[in-house]
Amino acid sequence: MATSVNKQWWKESVIYQIYPRSFNDSNGDGVGDLPGIIEKLDYLQHLGIDVIWLCPFYSSPNDDNGYDISDYYGVLNEFGTIEDVEKLLEEAQKRNIKIIIDLVVNHSSDEHQWFVESRKSKDNPYRDYYIWHPPVDGKAPNNWVSFFSGSAWQLDEATGEYYLHLFTKKQPDLNWENDNLRKEIYDMMHFWLQKGVAGFRMDVIPLISKKPNLPSFPAGFDGNFPEFYASGPRVHEFLKEMNREVLSKYDIMTVGEGIGVKQEEVNAYVGQSSNELNMVFHFGHMFLDRQTDDMLEWKQWSLVEFKEVFEKWEKALGNEGWGSLFLGNHDFPRIVSRFGNDEAYRVESAKLIGTLLFTLKGTPYIYQGDEIGMTNVAYESMDDYNDVQTLNAFKEFLANGGSAEVFLPKAHLSSRDNARTPVQWDNSNQAGFTTGTPWLKVNPNYKEINVAQAVEDENSIFNYYRKLIQLRKRHEVLVYGDTDIIDKPNTKIYAYTRTLEDKQVFVVLNFSAENTEFQLPQNLAVKVEADKVMLSNYPVVPHTGKENLSLKPYEGRVYLLF
Ligand code: TEU
Ligand code: CA
């Protein structure tokens, strides 16, 4: 059967994620804001992106930096006004940039009017908008844990019942079983779509349907609680309803944060005939270097496992679904510090990782600052950390007899604040992010790593990203072609072809700090030669594929074979 490619604008787009608090501060209060984003739209247009994913900008007490929303129609004062949102949409549109926004509807803030009402009494009309349960034997209803340490239940004095919070106790879970609640959420989605947003990134969306009767983790539970919480029995019914009532009425894109989604069920969420979402993020590669029982504890990861993650997801999606590609976001360490080498080979390895991001199959998502190779930060004191996940884990660590000295290196490796340090715009004070005092300290390496430098330097990571984006736009095979891995067991080299009808691209990436030889299979060896290299992070020396390819540390090449 000939492969029929189902073309869509969102498959061909490059997405850029903005975490507003850390992006650009326009008024010197130390907090990034909406006018600050508008100031940088020309920069984003120059980079060549098509869509911005804007993280939450709504009213929020900021217990979890905006992922705890107290008014879905309001704009956080620190970020600006609704007029600023409208202006941002308008200015972006002038530059052919679309904007998708974060939909955070698994939970709200405890300061949302709904919850203020809900907690008042058992017969309040909003009681059932949240998940309440009386104590069982004087204790929490079950043994569920929060993503951010401790029990997922909080006893509320007013009525003597517990409410469920899978995240912080200021993020009570909404009860999607309630028809009125769902209706209110759909109305709110229409409000933003009518303002001109181009779709949604949906926070922890697989968690909206809970297991009936809220059973405890079973005996011998493997500790994979995201998977346990995800994909409850009504999740697809809810998403189909949302699609029917809202999404299907607009030409938009949607991407769900696919936490806990298994490969075998992914097309139930994103398959063309499912009528739910367009894409989900999978997290397989985000946990290869973490201990399953301790998110902050690092373990050695292997390139072979890393390749397998992408291979399996591409296979699971097949021609029915479509993938999203990300290597980092506001919740994870910086990609060059994590998968590359942020010391001796920062520039080379950041370009190598970028090459992977733009040449695998799926829609690529850039996280702000990765296009200039921003790195992890290593604050000297726990006082400098802000992220609630890090701080809760730290409290728990201290309570169990740990110390700050032992905890700090874990925070250096794993804290979400690594990704949240202010974007480094230039080498002036505070990296040009603010004229005031930034809400989170800037990374001291801003004098060397910053946008102003990167834009000027033709060999910068930034200019390499521009070339990658252009390359992907010029060659459909890089968007729609299927991936075949070559020499999968190779522990240093990630090599693959992308093939679409009569077009083929070959990508070879040395994920090691050593000079490495790579032997091509016969069928490729005859096609590979230096003048077919379209892009490389090192100068191309004459070669053919018949001898071994000699790759320098973190060298990556993209060949157009025919
Ligand atoms: O993240 C959900 C989620 O999976 C995280 O808890 C993740 O496991 C962790 O951050 C990894 O370090 C989403 C948002 O992206 C995150 O910023 C929010 O804190 C969370 O939901 C709650 O809304
Ligand atoms: Ca500001």
Side-chain angles (χ1 to χ4, degrees), residues 64 67 104 107 147-148 167 171 201 203-204 257 259 287 290 295 330-332 389 416 420:
D64 185 19
Y67 282 92
V104 189
H107 43 269
F147 281 84
F148 297 152
F167 295 89
Q171 293 169 296
R201 174 270 187 185
D203 196 61
V204 296
E257 191 190 20
I259 185 166
F287 298 102
R290 302 290 172 84
M295 276 292 298
H330 63 294
D331 291 334
F332 293 96
Q389 183 188 43
R416 303 198 297 181
R420 299 176 181 186

Side-chain angles (χ1 to χ4, degrees), residues 17 19 53 55-56 63-68 102-107 146-148 166-168 171 201-205 207 225-226 257-260 283 286-287 290 295-296 329-333 338 387-390 414-416 420:
Q17 183 191 351
Y19 192 72
W53 152 22
C55 286
D63 190 49
D64 185 19
N65 279 348
Y67 282 92
D68 48 321
D102 230 294
L103 183 75
V104 189
V105 290
N106 171 70
H107 43 269
S146 151
F147 281 84
F148 297 152
L166 294 180
F167 295 89
T168 77
Q171 293 169 296
R201 174 270 187 185
M202 302 187 185
D203 196 61
V204 296
I205 202 72
L207 307 188
F225 58 88
E257 191 190 20
I259 185 166
F283 286 85
M286 286 294 116
F287 298 102
R290 302 290 172 84
M295 276 292 298
L296 294 177
N329 63 26
H330 63 294
D331 291 334
F332 293 96
R338 190 174 191 188
D387 165 39
V388 69
Q389 183 188 43
T390 311
S414 305
S415 172
R416 303 198 297 181
R420 299 176 181 186

Side-chain angles (χ1 to χ4, degrees), residues 24-33 78:
N24 183 35
D25 174 22
S26 70
N27 62 353
D29 67 354
V31 175
D33 47 50
E78 290 174 305

